[in-house]
Every structure is written in structure tokens, then in C-alpha cells.
Amino acid sequence: MTHAFDASIVTRFAPSPTGQLHLGNARTALFNFLAARKYGGRFILRVEDTDIARSEERHTQALLQDLRWLGLSWEEGPDVGGASAPYKQSERNDIYNEWLTKLDAQGLTYPCYCSQAELNISRKMQIAAGQPPRYLGTCRNLAHAQRAEREARGLQPTIRFRVPAGKHIQFDDVVHGEQKFLSDDIGDFIVRRADGSSAFFFSNAIDDALMGVTLVLRGDDHLTNTPRQLMLMEAFGLSTPRYGHMAMMLGMDGSPLSKRHGSTSLHEFRERGFLPIALNNQLIRLGHSVMNDVWLDSAACISEFDPSRLGRAPARFDEIQLRHWQKESVAKLSAEEFLSWVQPELPAELTVAQCVTFSAGVRNNVEVPADVRQWLPVVFADQLEYSNDVRTVIQDAGKAFFTVAIELLPRVGLEFKALAKELSIATTRKGPALFMPLRAAITGHTHGPELGPLLPMIGIDKIRSRLVAASALASN
RNA sequence: GCUCCCAUCGUCUAGAGGCCUAGGACACAGCCCUCUCAAGGCUGGUACGCGAGUUCGAAUCUCGCUGGGAGCGCCA
């Protein structure tokens, strides 16, 4: 099998707006986007909102926003239009009906009057008998009179596709290679629901064909569905896309990623403060391998992506690994980018200069924007609250240590190296024994950003009063 | 039940018969560096699910088994 793609490549992502975008679907979207970009082709966004009951416009909007946030863009879609508009399936019913008529003209469809209750019973009986639960073809060969009788009873029929007998369906899957299925294993399936709306197999397949999609990367839960869609497209004489079925994304326990694993939607990670490029770096390594282990910028994600490097085995999503890419991504931010990233967490009353020095001082101790909150009191609070660790450190250091520091402060000033040196001489302390009590007294933490840049920000008055407070504590 | 898919360190993966006493990254442990945390450097441990076969030689090919997963919906 060869996967020679070029600038004629057209990929798509076709979510249904029934909720927040699942991380697994975000990966599917990303890969289709990357494939299109890599070869200089087009990427289409199509909203599959045929399930009127569960689809909501607000979900569609949120979906588009989250996708753009992730860094994706599309040449065609509901918000940007395109040659194959409309891109919401709820607005394409005329098109589906038109093609359904063509199918009907070939004698490949028939109305089915079976009720859902009847179908459920049939399914259960087949399973009980050890048979694959397939539609038995009850309505396949109804005579005109029989149909008329059912219509007269007011039954609203679904339309089923007449699956040909004894047909072999083959296709070359981009990730799994040659696939072969037998049509006899497939029951006649519904292409139009009783309410007149188009069913997934039908609308999804003909939209891909009509929109000129050449490569479909999707979850391998669709692998055994693909023959149905191929039969439809072949019945129309439409050209079919290549398919690549990717293994699903799992939680750490190996079961499908769900709520009990923690955050599962792209939006949740966005809200928690993860950077889009961090998600890109994590997702591109799940079910797809990149040749080097270094952090990739968005251009590198495109060049590193390769459909032939898609894996076949399911991958577990590990948030710990995402956090690694988050740290890398934060480190890559420029000072300006970092500041505007954390700005929403900073108090409005801070001056621009304060924001600049503060964000620069704490950035190595920030993984998500909300992390700046814990360092705010360190610089700006009038009084510090001590944890038990801090208390212990201060008490162990003893009152004399702080007395000396208080005496040195006015003379030496806020130059940290000089202060540390003088303090070291005066107390004969060095290393952690010198710095830890100082840090504890001045910041109220046993760990945190470097003290050097912190001192000028805190200011000499606050530092003095904090040293006095520590001294008082140590003398107790 | 039937059809299909999958199987390498804890996790993500490299590996397309000899380059593999299986490589990297994350995580973990230890050491170094260091005012702490982080970063960085070094070191360490742990993996080819099992069994047959093909072959001079198998993580890689074949078959079986086991274990996971998906589909068989008027959900997509």
C-alpha cells in the first residue's frame, strides 16, 4: 500500500454538536488538519447535526472556538462557507433527498414499516439464538398492497438500503492495510429515518464524496462501518476517499476515556490553563509517532506529521505526559507572551511595571496561569501566613539570625548577593542553612522563585517587617 | 453469538528477519549542580502476553491460544 498524498489532498473533521469536544475527537480533528497542511491541501469542517434532539447550536459554536484555540483552521466550514456549502447537515436535507431518489431509481431502497419495538425484539431473539443481530428483511419484498395497507394505518416508514448479496467489499486502509468484508454479513440498513432526516451512514458518506474528501482519518470504531459507506458511494458511482482508522484513545486503566479519568474534553484542558501547543505536542504522540522527542512548534507539528506513522494499537492518555509538554511550552513563551497569558490572574491595581517584573520573577514556578496566585501574597501581602514547615525553619534558625539580618538590611540594601554574603559572615552560616530561614521569613514558603529578583519587588519595608515577625516567632 | 481490529518498559513509543545482551521520551530512584522548587547533567531498574511453526537466525513472518477493544442502532 502506498500513501502518496499531494496538494490535492482534502481532509475533513465532522463532529456532531452534542456536547463538548472529546479529547479523542480533538486528536482526530488535529490529525486531519495536519495531514491537509502537510501536503498543502484543504481541510473541511462539517457539522453533523442530523440528530435534532441532541444537537445544539451553542455546542457548534463552542466546538469551532475550541478547535480554533487548538490552532486549527479550515478552508471550508459553516462559519467560512465554501464551494460545497452548506456545511451543516441539518441544512442539507434537500441534497440527501435528491440522492436518495437516485438510489430509489436503481431499486436499491425500500420503505420499512417495522416499529422500533419489533426491531428490538428481533434483535434480542437473534442474540439469544447466537446469531448476529441483523435486520431480517421483513419489509424487503412487500407487495404494493401490503405497503398500501401499512400506509393506511398511518405508519411512517424508514428507508433502507438494499444490501447486495454475495458481494466482497475491499479497501486499503491507511493504517490497517488491506481490508475485506462480505456484504452478506451486513443487514439492510436505514438511510433515512421515519422523520425524514438522513441517517449517519448515508449523509456522512455522500457528503464526503460530494465535498471531494480524499482522506478520512477517523476512529477505528468506524472500521466495520466503512463497507456500508463504500457500497453507497459505489452505487452512486462517486469516487471514494481513502480511509485511515485510528485506534481509540483510552484512560490510564485501559478503558475508553471517560469522566472518571478526569478531564476528557478539550475545553476542560483549555479552562485549566493548558496551552494549545502543549496539547498539540501530546496528541501528536498518541497513536502517532514523531521521529524526535523534542518539543515541536506548530510548524514542526505539521512537518513531523505523517499518516504512515499512525499506530494501530490504542493509546492511553496520560496527563503527566501532557504536563511535561505544558512545562516545555510555558518555557518557550516570550516574556510578553507569558505576561499576557497570566495577566487575567493579576490584580487590576498592579502597574504595568509591576506586572512585568512580577511575571518575570515567578515564571519558572508557574505551570498554569492560576499558579501565579500563590506568589502574589509573597510579593504584595502585608502579613504572611506561615505553614508548619515555615514555622519550623524559622524557629530552628533562632532569633539571633533574624536580629542580625534586620541590622544588616538598611546598610546592605536589597542586593541579594551582597545581603547573603554579609549575613553569611555575620552568622557563619552558608548554603541552605543560610538561605532557607531567609526564604521562609521573607516569602513564607520553603520553596519558590529565586530570592534575588524577589527582594526589590517586595521592597525594603515589607522585608524588614517580615524579618521582625520571624524574629518574634523565633524568640517564642 | 457473528464479523472485524489490536498486543514492546508503569505510560507514550522506535523497531518492517541478523544493526536488539531491544533504542528514546515521560514518570520513578540515586548522584551532581544549586538558596528552595523547577530546569540541566550523570547513573539505575523494569518491556517484546503465551505456545507451536518457518528460518542458520524472529520483537519482526505463519498458525493457535489468551487478553483487550469495536461494530452488528430510526447515535454519530
Side-chain angles (χ1 to χ4, degrees):
Chain A
M1 56 177 172
T2 63
H3 312 121
F5 297 109
D6 56 31
S8 66
I9 192 173
V10 179
T11 65
R12 53 73 163 176
F13 178 58
S16 44
T18 55
Q20 289 188 344
L21 187 62
H22 184 92
L23 206 56
N25 291 132
R27 179 186 61 163
T28 302
L30 177 66
F31 286 5
N32 280 288
F33 165 77
L34 293 174
R37 289 293 167 272
K38 179 176 179 87
Y39 300 104
R42 286 184 296 132
F43 177 54
I44 299 174
L45 190 73
R46 183 177 71 229
V47 178
E48 307 218 323
D49 53 352
T50 57
D51 185 350
I52 309 147
R54 294 200 302 144
S55 298
E56 292 183 39
E57 177 60 22
R58 67 186 174 97
H59 288 139
T60 300
Q61 291 309 318
L63 215 55
L64 301 196
Q65 280 174 19
D66 287 339
L67 249 16
R68 288 208 188 280
W69 172 81
L70 226 210
L72 309 206
S73 58
W74 40 92
E75 281 67 44
E76 301 176 37
D79 54 341
V80 296
S84 305
Y87 293 93
K88 285 184 184 172
Q89 291 192 326
S90 58
E91 297 168 7
R92 295 174 66 80
N93 225 256
D94 290 348
I95 297 169
Y96 303 139
N97 284 144
E98 179 191 327
W99 285 86
L100 208 51
T101 306
K102 293 184 190 182
L103 212 53
D104 191 42
Q106 295 179 59
L108 291 176
T109 66
Y110 61 88
C112 170
Y113 299 91
C114 298
S115 71
Q116 296 203 46
E118 288 169 333
L119 293 171
N120 282 340
I121 291 167
S122 164
R123 213 175 350 258
K124 279 177 187 160
M125 285 177 65
Q126 288 179 79
I127 290 169
Q131 295 295 315
R134 283 202 290 269
Y135 181 63
L136 291 172
T138 316
C139 300
R140 200 170 216 247
N141 300 307
L142 290 182
H144 279 298
Q146 292 172 298
R147 285 184 191 165
E149 181 270 330
R150 277 156 232 242
E151 297 280 352
R153 273 162 42 201
L155 295 179
Q156 287 295 313
T158 60
I159 306 293
R160 283 183 189 271
F161 178 68
R162 204 181 286 273
V163 173
K167 212 183 157 189
H168 292 271
I169 302 118
Q170 300 189 16
F171 62 99
D172 183 17
D173 190 275
V174 174
V175 347
H176 294 282
E178 201 62 42
Q179 301 292 309
K180 289 181 189 142
F181 294 90
L182 193 58
S183 68
D184 295 346
D185 291 329
I186 300 167
D188 293 347
F189 54 91
I190 290 172
V191 289
R192 190 173 74 175
R193 304 186 188 105
D195 67 5
S197 65
S198 175
F200 166 78
F201 290 129
F202 185 77
S203 49
N204 180 270
I206 80 161
D207 277 350
D208 282 343
L210 260 27
M211 293 179 178
V213 173
T214 63
L215 173 66
V216 172
L217 263 19
R218 55 175 9 174
D220 68 6
D221 48 338
H222 288 295
L223 187 55
T224 51
N225 289 333
T226 304
R228 294 160 212 269
Q229 304 198 289
L230 255 12
M231 281 191 285
L232 285 172
M233 289 184 276
E234 277 161 19
F236 289 126
L238 293 169
S239 67
T240 59
R242 293 287 306 278
Y243 289 93
H245 289 93
M246 310 184 295
M248 312 203 68
M249 187 182 289
L250 308 174
M252 283 303 283
D253 61 355
S255 65
L257 193 61
S258 68
K259 269 298 161 202
R260 66 198 161 84
H261 296 109
S263 306
T264 57
S265 73
L266 185 62
H267 194 77
E268 286 171 276
F269 288 100
R270 179 182 178 181
E271 292 214 307
R272 285 172 57 191
F274 284 94
L275 289 162
I277 195 63
L279 264 319
N280 275 253
N281 270 275
Q282 175 63 13
L283 294 178
I284 201 174
R285 290 171 168 88
L286 251 32
H288 177 268
S289 59
V290 296
M291 289 317 274
N292 50 24
D293 291 313
V294 301
W295 179 88
L296 306 171
D297 63 21
S298 53
C301 284
I302 292 169
S303 60
E304 286 289 321
F305 183 76
D306 185 343
S308 72
R309 298 197 68 82
L310 288 165
R312 294 162 298 282
R316 301 176 188 210
F317 172 74
D318 188 351
E319 197 170 297
I320 289 170
Q321 301 195 85
L322 170 62
R323 291 181 57 187
H324 169 254
W325 297 115
Q326 172 75 357
K327 284 179 193 165
E328 295 265 312
S329 304
V330 173
K332 302 286 181 188
L333 255 26
S334 71
E336 296 74 29
E337 289 168 333
F338 181 83
L339 176 54
S340 65
W341 185 53
V342 299
Q343 189 83 64
E345 299 290 344
L346 299 178
E349 59 269 27
L350 293 191
T351 66
V352 173
Q354 281 178 311
C355 289
V356 170
T357 51
F358 177 78
S359 66
V362 303
R363 67 171 292 166
N364 288 339
N365 294 75
V366 170
E367 197 173 299
V368 295
D371 288 345
V372 300
R373 282 189 216 144
Q374 70 181 123
W375 306 122
L376 245 16
V378 168
V379 175
F380 301 107
D382 289 324
Q383 283 208 313
L384 296 179
E385 286 178 24
Y386 299 140
S387 68
N388 286 336
D389 282 356
V390 171
R391 235 172 250 281
T392 305
V393 168
I394 290 173
Q395 283 168 337
D396 287 354
K399 185 180 170 66
F401 176 83
F402 298 106
T403 307
V404 173
I406 293 165
E407 283 166 8
L408 284 173
L409 190 61
R411 182 164 62 77
V412 182
L414 296 177
E415 178 56 40
F416 178 65
K417 282 224 169 93
L419 186 64
K421 191 179 174 188
E422 296 278 336
L423 195 56
S424 176
I425 293 166
T427 63
T428 71
R429 286 169 178 258
K430 55 183 181 179
L434 171 71
F435 293 103
M436 192 48 83
L438 205 53
R439 166 178 294 282
I442 295 175
T443 70
H445 287 83
T446 53
H447 67 88
E450 285 182 38
L451 283 171
L454 238 34
L455 297 192
M457 273 189 267
I458 299 170
I460 198 152
D461 293 340
K462 279 203 178 76
I463 290 175
R464 192 189 140 74
S465 66
R466 288 176 187 183
L467 289 172
V468 170
S471 168
L473 175 63
S475 60
N476 287 342

